[in-house]
Amino acid sequence: MPAKKPTKTSGIKDLVIRVCVGTGGLAAGSQEVIDEFGRQLKSYGIKADILKKCVNKTGCRGFCAKDVLVDVILNGKSETYQLITPENVARIVEEHILKGEPVKEWLVGPEYHAFHDKQTKILLKECGHIDPEDINAYINIGGYEAVRKIFPLETFEVIEEVRASGLRGRGGAGFLTGLKWDLCSKAEGKPKYIICNADEGDPGAFMDRSVIEGNPHSVIEGMIIGGYAIGANYGYVYIRAEYPLAIHRLKIAIADARKKGFIGKNILKSGFDFDIKIKEGAGAFICGEETALIASIEGKRGMPKAKPPFPAYKGLWGKPTVINNVETLANLPSIITKGAKWFASIGTEKSKGTKVFALTGKIKNTGLIEVPMGISLKEIIYDIGGGCERNRKFKAVQTGGPSGGCIPASHIDMPVDYESLMGAGSMMGSGGMVVMDDTTCMVDMAKFFLTFTQNESCGKCTPCRIGTKRMLEILTRITEGKGKEGDIELLLELGNDIKLSSLCGLGMSAPNPVLSTIKFFRDEYEAHIKEGVCPATVCKALRRYTVSAELCKMCGKCFKACPSAAVTWEKKQPAVIDKTKCIKCGACYEACPFSAIL
Amino acid sequence: MNEKKCLAILDSYREHGGNIISLLQEIQESFGYIPEDVVFWFSKRLNIPASNFFGVATFYAQFYLKPRGKNIITACCGTACHVKGSAPIINKIREELKLPQGETTTKDGKYTVESVACVGACSIAPVFIGNKKVFGKMSMEKAAEMLKEIDKGKGK
Ligand SMILES: Cc1cc2nc3c(=O)[nH]c(=O)nc-3n(C[C@H](O)[C@H](O)[C@H](O)COP(=O)(O)O)c2cc1C
Ligand code: FES
């Protein structure tokens, strides 16, 4: 194609453009941005061979709040743009790439640097920098070195290295990975299996997805290391069907690794065989629990079993099986190449290394972060997260998903590690961190989580099946303004009983969101029950719909929206709501374009 | 019922080996949902009680026992989306499409509105998926736009 705008392009010796194509980036329109860069560069006659190589797709780099993020690396100098749309591309090409003058007002600001400065990146280091669909990109940064390194070692030496690193499982419970491997390697029975748990059921978390989308080979390499250590020749990745992009990239990665001989028969002439299969989940939260996950791979209903026997002794098809979380596995290559000592030097005494969190909710800088264990909540929320949106008041942060709890603002100085979180009635969980401000109702949050667990309870044991249902009924009536004296005590009693008597981790932790919100926000529960008020004005039935005469612009929309003729309004008169007729449906509130209904 | 389709599925099941989940996944792939008569057909051929199939099919959210609409809107009901106010938007969409309570598919079979717990894009919550396209940072206005976009593309 002839260059339509002849311009000097000789100054461009080396050009790389990196655009994030994680799920977040794609939703923000990164594919359109990539296409536009292609079109623009072509129209200037920039050579196609540069073109093919220079627009790089990468996985998520974490700062999703400012997507689409674009790196322009011109002759070795890198600049990062934020919030880029296809319309911005022409100017970037013209001013930055052709004239060498970056478009200042679109460059990332200080929040971008603040967001990254407090982080310590091991797992996410390469996410957002390398092309996840290219195995050579991974090999170039030292990928698959760890696999080479372990083969001359005895399996117990590999296990010892992992144990010495202090790595604990990132899937929730925080069990020592080295210990789990040791048990399984000594267990009787063949063949053995290693399963990567990529079910990521916590609603509000996307760390595992991002790691797989951004650097799938690190997970595969981790599985090979684990397989070698415990003596397993087969691995499964159990992954949510809701993650099509992650599945796609994983498939490519497995095929490429097989082509290069990192998986298959006699890997690197070591005599060790290893192969990996992908199993797509069929949509059930409980299948993240290890025994249920195994049942699901076997094609059955995903019902958990009582432990012991632990999967390390009797797992998939009744054979010894290790189940590890995505993040746990992705840590292994660096532990092997850099050594246990290096890993153990990061973090606290009992919690080593880093943890990836999905920082979301009502916070300014949402995204994916990786921090050293033991960092304080304050540093996460304010330094990295930039505080609450619209500078509202920070109220609590929820960790551990439906199994965890809400940590109140008063505990902001708490260090983030396994023990501290547990002590505050929450847990590390897989790494969701949902921030709440003063417009979030804690009773509603508790109800939200219980609705979820109630729905996902497999129904095998009574305390979980019926107990959570009763708790949900109580919470529902509280949010509807029909709470009774004694409801809080009843919730506490039921919650503790369910925790003690449930069969699996789902039931044992299901009451946590309720118990922790009662512990720290009992006054909110009491306001609902005793005063019939929802302090955060979230619970619809407890709203008192009145019209603010000051804000009312007399448009009459609320009058038309009201289904029970409770609104009176005449032209040029502010509307009035008759409380005796109001059925609290909220129609007027939603219809009002001026937020005049309070 | 389409016997040819069933036979094809049966062949691949026998060839690759498999289990009830993978069989149901193939049935759904081929029929769009899990028709009752198809389950009975397989139950007879494979000598597996139909209750085993229904047991698995009702356990997992992925399986549908009723046909779904031509256009599929998936609302994320994960924590981040809930905190950012997805519930009123879902209600609005359901209202717009005149979905009766408890139903997920419109009478004319044009739309299905379903919910899922977290699609893994929490940083752009609230998130909706309209016919596989992800819509982030959703608001009432954007929801109306999404519906329009889906409506326009329905001739495809
Ligand atoms: C209800 C329930 C859901 C779980 N969901 C997950 C999950 O989505 N991902 C995960 O890695 N672990 C999950 N777990 C924890 C697993 O059972 C298991 O402990 C973990 O995968 C072990 O890996 P790790 O030692 O590397 O952490 C869940 C546990 C329970 C009780
Ligand atoms: S909570 Fe909606 S995308 Fe995660």
Side-chain angles (χ1 to χ4, degrees):
Chain A
M1 171 174 152
K4 74 173 180 222
K5 306 173 203 168
T7 325
K8 270 222 313 238
T9 57
S10 54
I12 307 167
K13 291 190 194 73
D14 182 25
L15 174 67
V16 179
I17 295 168
R18 285 199 296 233
V19 184
C20 158
V21 286
T23 297
L26 283 176
S30 58
Q31 190 57 50
E32 287 79 11
V33 171
I34 291 176
D35 294 345
E36 186 61 23
F37 264 110
R39 257 194 303 277
Q40 287 291 335
L41 293 175
K42 212 170 182 182
S43 80
Y44 284 105
I46 292 176
K47 271 199 234 104
D49 62 317
I50 299 184
L51 234 181
K52 225 193 229 153
K53 270 183 261 155
C54 80
V55 185
N56 266 352
K57 297 179 184 179
T58 67
C60 179
R61 65 179 60 195
F63 203 45
C64 311
K66 296 283 156 84
D67 263 327
V68 176
L69 288 166
V70 176
D71 281 342
V72 175
I73 308 165
L74 182 62
N75 302 338
K77 195 170 176 320
S78 170
E79 299 279 4
T80 306
Y81 291 98
Q82 64 183 18
L83 296 169
I84 293 305
T85 62
E87 289 78 56
N88 301 142
V89 171
R91 199 171 144 201
I92 294 178
V93 171
E94 201 163 303
E95 297 185 12
H96 187 166
I97 297 176
L98 295 172
K99 296 194 187 132
E101 291 157 17
V103 186
K104 285 222 172 66
E105 65 259 42
W106 296 338
L107 290 177
V108 290
E111 349 53 271
Y112 180 81
H113 302 290
F115 182 79
H116 288 289
D117 283 351
K118 285 248 166 163
Q119 301 193 44
T120 305
K121 297 201 174 186
I122 300 174
L123 294 181
L124 299 182
K125 194 161 153 245
E126 309 304 340
C127 289
H129 294 282
I130 60 169
D131 182 346
E133 297 180 13
D134 178 7
I135 190 170
N136 292 320
Y138 182 64
I139 292 173
N140 285 343
I141 53 149
Y144 290 106
E145 275 308 311
V147 170
R148 283 178 210 281
K149 209 172 156 186
I150 54 168
F151 287 143
L153 302 177
E154 294 292 332
T155 55
F156 73 85
E157 291 175 298
V158 178
I159 295 176
E160 191 43 48
E161 189 74 8
V162 174
R163 197 212 295 261
S165 75
L167 175 66
R168 294 170 70 173
R170 304 294 196 238
F175 197 78
L176 280 165
T177 306
L179 185 58
K180 195 191 268 189
W181 287 12
D182 190 35
L183 294 176
C184 187
S185 75
K186 290 182 182 147
E188 305 245 336
K190 272 214 167 305
K192 292 180 183 174
Y193 297 96
I194 182 162
I195 299 173
C196 167
N197 188 346
D199 197 42
E200 193 153 60
D202 172 357
F206 54 97
M207 303 73 48
D208 295 349
R209 173 182 68 69
S210 304
V211 170
I212 294 178
E213 282 179 10
N215 194 356
H217 286 286
S218 64
V219 182
I220 294 174
E221 190 172 8
M223 286 182 77
I224 302 171
I225 297 168
Y228 178 73
I230 62 165
N233 302 110
Y234 302 98
Y236 283 95
V237 182
Y238 188 87
I239 183 165
R240 297 181 74 192
E242 284 91 341
Y243 288 176
L245 186 62
I247 295 173
H248 171 72
R249 298 220 167 124
L250 203 56
K251 279 186 181 154
I252 296 179
I254 291 175
D256 287 350
R258 190 173 291 126
K259 263 188 230 146
K260 292 255 178 199
F262 294 118
I263 47 184
K265 293 247 175 278
N266 192 13
I267 299 170
L268 306 175
K269 304 203 176 71
S270 63
F272 175 64
D273 305 338
F274 189 71
D275 217 326
I276 299 179
K277 263 198 192 149
I278 297 178
K279 275 275 169 190
E280 280 181 42
F285 172 66
I286 186 64
C287 288
E289 197 281 334
E290 44 196 20
T291 57
L293 187 153
I294 287 170
S296 181
I297 293 186
E298 292 172 351
K300 301 186 205 138
R301 286 164 67 101
M303 297 279 223
K305 288 193 193 130
K307 293 186 273 192
F310 288 94
Y313 298 105
K314 258 178 114 116
L316 189 60
W317 319 113
K319 303 291 179 193
T321 304
V322 157
I323 298 177
N324 275 135
N325 167 263
V326 171
E327 209 186 312
T328 316
L329 291 166
N331 265 309
L332 290 162
S334 6
I335 291 179
I336 298 293
T337 45
K338 296 189 184 161
K341 250 204 198 120
W342 161 79
F343 190 80
S345 70
I346 307 165
T348 66
E349 192 199 334
K350 286 192 177 156
S351 306
K352 299 294 185 194
T354 59
K355 177 80 192 89
V356 181
F357 288 101
L359 190 60
T360 62
K362 301 202 171 158
I363 189 147
K364 269 190 204 144
N365 305 335
T366 55
L368 199 67
I369 61 166
E370 181 172 358
V371 288
M373 293 274 190
I375 189 175
S376 74
L377 266 179
K378 195 178 192 166
E379 286 169 284
I380 295 185
I381 309 268
Y382 288 100
D383 297 347
I384 298 175
C388 282
E389 269 182 328
R390 283 178 266 151
N391 294 326
R392 293 203 78 102
K393 205 166 147 240
F394 166 66
K395 180 166 170 181
V397 58
Q398 211 279 345
T399 69
S403 317
C406 294
I407 298 164
S410 56
H411 286 49
I412 188 106
D413 290 314
M414 199 180 88
V416 175
D417 58 45
Y418 289 98
E419 276 72 26
S420 308
L421 285 171
M422 204 69 117
S426 184
M427 63 186 269
M428 183 75 80
S430 47
M433 225 178 227
V434 185
V435 176
M436 297 160 193
D437 64 15
D438 52 0
T439 61
T440 315
C441 168
M442 301 318 272
V443 187
D444 176 69
M445 270 333 284
K447 186 177 110 187
F448 166 80
F449 281 114
L450 218 64
T451 310
F452 179 82
T453 33
Q454 219 290 303
N455 236 319
E456 296 292 338
S457 167
C458 77
K460 189 168 174 177
C461 77
T462 322
C464 175
R465 182 182 68 241
I466 300 177
T468 54
K469 180 141 186 97
R470 293 289 99 88
M471 284 181 81
L472 181 59
E473 283 165 4
I474 299 170
L475 285 170
T476 307
R477 84 173 169 240
I478 295 177
T479 56
E480 284 174 351
K482 298 177 196 144
K484 289 188 280 214
E485 197 75 36
D487 272 353
I488 300 180
E489 289 70 24
L490 196 54
L491 281 173
L492 289 173
E493 190 187 333
L494 262 172
N496 286 318
D497 289 348
I498 295 170
K499 277 181 84 152
L500 289 173
S501 54
S502 290
L503 171 70
C504 83
L506 189 140
M508 286 181 218
S509 59
N512 285 353
V514 183
L515 298 179
S516 85
T517 45
I518 293 182
K519 183 169 166 194
F520 296 119
F521 300 96
R522 196 176 175 120
D523 53 328
E524 274 189 47
Y525 281 82
E526 279 167 355
H528 281 77
I529 298 173
K530 292 190 184 141
E531 294 152 43
V533 178
C534 172
T537 62
V538 169
C539 300
K540 254 188 185 175
L542 296 180
R543 265 199 217 133
R544 304 227 167 108
Y545 304 101
T546 50
V547 181
S548 151
E550 269 165 43
L551 296 173
C552 180
K553 295 254 170 25
M554 306 164 203
C555 68
K557 287 214 168 110
C558 54
F559 172 73
K560 284 171 204 141
C562 179
S564 69
V567 181
T568 39
W569 164 83
E570 267 164 48
K571 273 197 185 131
K572 296 189 186 156
Q573 290 285 320
V576 179
I577 298 172
D578 181 347
K579 286 205 181 70
T580 56
K581 286 190 194 155
C582 176
I583 54 167
K584 298 188 174 174
C585 67
C588 56
Y589 181 84
E590 264 144 44
C592 179
F594 310 107
S595 307
I597 292 176
L598 309 171
Chain B
M1 199 187 81
N2 189 331
E3 187 129 17
K4 233 190 190 160
K5 276 196 204 168
C6 293
L7 282 169
I9 297 171
L10 190 64
D11 281 347
S12 106
Y13 173 81
R14 291 218 164 110
E15 197 176 315
H16 300 295
N19 54 43
I20 294 189
I21 295 183
S22 56
L23 187 61
L24 286 170
Q25 278 169 337
E26 281 196 42
I27 294 175
Q28 182 151 298
E29 179 78 33
S30 179
F31 290 88
Y33 71 111
I34 313 275
E36 206 176 291
D37 50 355
V38 172
V39 170
F40 283 112
W41 190 92
F42 277 98
S43 159
K44 243 195 218 133
R45 300 282 150 131
L46 297 170
N47 209 10
I48 301 172
S51 61
N52 284 17
F53 286 92
F54 289 118
V56 171
T58 52
F59 188 87
Y60 295 103
Q62 193 191 67
F63 297 118
Y64 308 98
L65 295 170
K66 282 190 208 160
R68 296 202 298 158
K70 280 201 193 75
N71 297 292
I72 305 213
I73 298 169
T74 312
C76 176
C77 292
T79 318
C81 291
H82 179 78
V83 168
K84 291 274 223 161
S86 61
I89 304 176
I90 300 173
N91 290 340
K92 185 88 186 170
I93 290 176
R94 292 183 57 96
E95 213 172 273
E96 236 14 66
L97 299 174
K98 303 201 174 58
L99 267 172
Q101 234 183 356
E103 291 292 327
T104 51
T105 304
T106 52
K107 273 213 185 83
D108 56 10
K110 260 192 197 158
Y111 294 97
T112 290
V113 180
E114 55 193 23
S115 57
V116 38
C118 192
V119 296
C122 322
S123 47
I124 48 169
V127 180
F128 283 71
I129 300 175
N131 287 343
K132 299 208 166 151
K133 186 171 165 201
V134 179
F135 294 80
K137 297 191 182 157
M138 199 54 124
S139 60
M140 293 286 182
E141 294 81 51
K142 274 179 92 178
E145 277 170 37
M146 176 180 83
L147 286 180
K148 254 193 226 145
E149 200 179 313
I150 293 173
D151 197 45
K152 257 196 254 148
K154 76 174 175 251
K156 279 192 285 197

